[in-house]
């Protein structure tokens, strides 16, 4: 089978970060939706990988190890996916542990801000009931709680009204640097991929600086077809991939059944003009 004919999904989440299904349940859903090649990419975490790999192997899917690392670049949060990593590599493991370490403090500050500025008490405890991994409380867990108590109709509304810059519940946070994240991925034998580039609020000039710095750190790919992009952006980022010499990746960013974003394994294929990040893997 040609590389482009494979149903490849290289970005999704389990309850080990801010998804709602266990790694084995995500594997089952991927298989049911026709995925041939699958990576679980939990935020700043590798502890779902063993269960995911075992489930994928049992189901006859090719498994690719993955992670999505939170990065702060020029004051903005950027996500870098690492694929085909050795998830036991000590420097990667240490780096991810450090990246996760401020999350509980931040979550307590978020809850205090929601109480003070929006009159919403108890958000830490409320969000924590959705957490599967105590080291990984995220804004998604707060979003689910705010929907549960009826403050917002859905998660999309939460991120428009709360938890983002200038809104109640937003607490600035310093994640890993770009050079650190790409370095950990590369030392662990993996490929570094810019996650959902269309989601970042950067000027064209800043984007160019970012892509050049990513390349000079050893970054190799960008997501082109992702649940976070519109069809127009599949074309736009396909062109950008070719312009900078990046490989292109494809991944749903699936978190939970029924979310507004596209389901796992249900994205359109990558354009034949883009070289897939998985071209040399099999
Ligand atoms: P955190 O790592 O705690 O900052 O949380 C980031 C997560 O929040 C992302 O990985 C998404 O899952 C979720 N998120 C951020 N913005 C949005 C949005 N506009 N709509 C839905 N989910 C979002
Ligand atoms: Mn997420
Ligand atoms: Mn992301
Ligand atoms: Mn993601």
């Amino acid at each position: 089978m040609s590389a482009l004919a494979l149903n490849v999904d290289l970005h999704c989440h389990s309850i080990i970060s801010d998804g709602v299904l266990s790694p084995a349940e995500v594997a089952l859903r991927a298989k049911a939706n026709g995925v041939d090649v699958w990576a679980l990419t939990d935020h700043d975490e590798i502890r779902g990988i063993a269960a995911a790999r075992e489930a994928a192997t049992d189901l006859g899917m090719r498994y690719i190890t993955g992670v999505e690392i939170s990065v702060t670049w020029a004051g903005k949060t950027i996500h870098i996916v690492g694929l085909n990593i050795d998830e036991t590599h000590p420097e990667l493991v240490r780096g991810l542990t450090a990246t996760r370490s401020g999350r509980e403090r931040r979550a307590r500050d978020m809850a205090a801000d929601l109480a003070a500025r929006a009159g919403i008490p108890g958000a830490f405890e409320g969000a924590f009931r959705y957490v599967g991994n105590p080291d990984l409380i995220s804004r998604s867990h707060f979003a689910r709680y705010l929907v549960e108590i009826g403050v917002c109709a859905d998660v999309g509304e939460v991120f428009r009204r709360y938890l983002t810059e200038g809104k109640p519940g937003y607490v600035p946070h310093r994640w890993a640097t770009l050079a650190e994240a790409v370095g950990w991925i590369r030392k662990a034998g993996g490929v570094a991929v810019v996650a959902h580039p269309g989601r970042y609020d950067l000027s064209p000039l800043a984007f160019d600086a970012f892509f050049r710095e990513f390349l000079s750190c050893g970054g190799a790919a960008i997501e082109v077809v992702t649940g976070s992009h519109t069809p127009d952006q599949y074309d736009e980022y396909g062109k950008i991939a070719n312009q900078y010499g990046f490989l292109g990746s494809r991944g749903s960013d699936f978190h939970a059944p029924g979310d507004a974003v596209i389901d796992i394994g249900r994205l359109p294929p990558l354009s034949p003009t883009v070289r897939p990040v998985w071209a040399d893997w099999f």
Side-chain angles (χ1 to χ4, degrees), residues 169-217:
Y170 178 72
V171 173
H173 195 72
R174 270 277 319 278
W175 303 106
T177 68
L178 182 62
E180 283 170 340
V182 175
W184 300 331
I185 291 165
R186 300 247 303 161
K187 284 177 193 156
V191 183
V193 186
V194 179
H196 41 65
R199 245 171 61 182
Y200 308 123
D201 174 27
L202 296 173
S203 69
L205 217 62
F207 254 120
D208 181 60
F210 170 72
F211 285 139
R212 286 169 191 277
E213 193 173 324
F214 178 65
L215 274 172
S216 75
C217 293

Side-chain angles (χ1 to χ4, degrees), residues 13 18 43-44 68 70 77 79 103 106 137-140 155-156 159 164 175 199 253 255:
H13 299 273
D18 60 347
H43 297 284
D44 308 320
E68 182 176 17
S70 312
T77 298
H79 288 169
R103 279 189 179 267
R106 169 193 187 232
I137 182 160
S138 93
R139 286 186 293 160
S140 303
V155 164
F159 284 97
T164 49
W175 303 106
R199 245 171 61 182
D253 209 357
H255 285 71

Side-chain angles (χ1 to χ4, degrees), residues 7 30 46 99 110 118 121 129 139 165 199 213 250 277 279:
N7 186 342
I46 39 78
T99 306
M110 286 167 59
R129 285 194 288 105
R139 286 186 293 160
E165 224 172 313
R199 245 171 61 182
E213 193 173 324
R250 176 182 191 262
V277 67

Side-chain angles (χ1 to χ4, degrees), residues 261-277:
V261 291
I262 214 146
D263 204 346
I264 192 164
R266 297 289 200 221
L267 287 166
L270 205 57
S271 155
T273 60
V274 176
R275 186 167 168 76
V277 67

Side-chain angles (χ1 to χ4, degrees), residues 43-99:
H43 297 284
D44 308 320
E45 257 297 4
I46 39 78
R47 282 179 283 187
I49 290 178
R53 182 191 289 121
E54 189 183 334
T57 307
D58 287 350
L59 292 165
M61 282 187 295
R62 280 190 220 248
Y63 189 69
I64 302 297
T65 52
V67 66
E68 182 176 17
I69 305 181
S70 312
V71 161
T72 302
W73 185 84
K76 307 268 185 195
T77 298
I78 304 267
H79 288 169
I80 303 293
V81 165
L83 297 173
N84 252 333
I85 47 171
D86 166 8
E87 80 277 15
T88 67
H89 191 278
E91 203 167 326
L92 173 72
V93 171
R94 264 200 309 275
L96 294 177
T97 305
T99 306

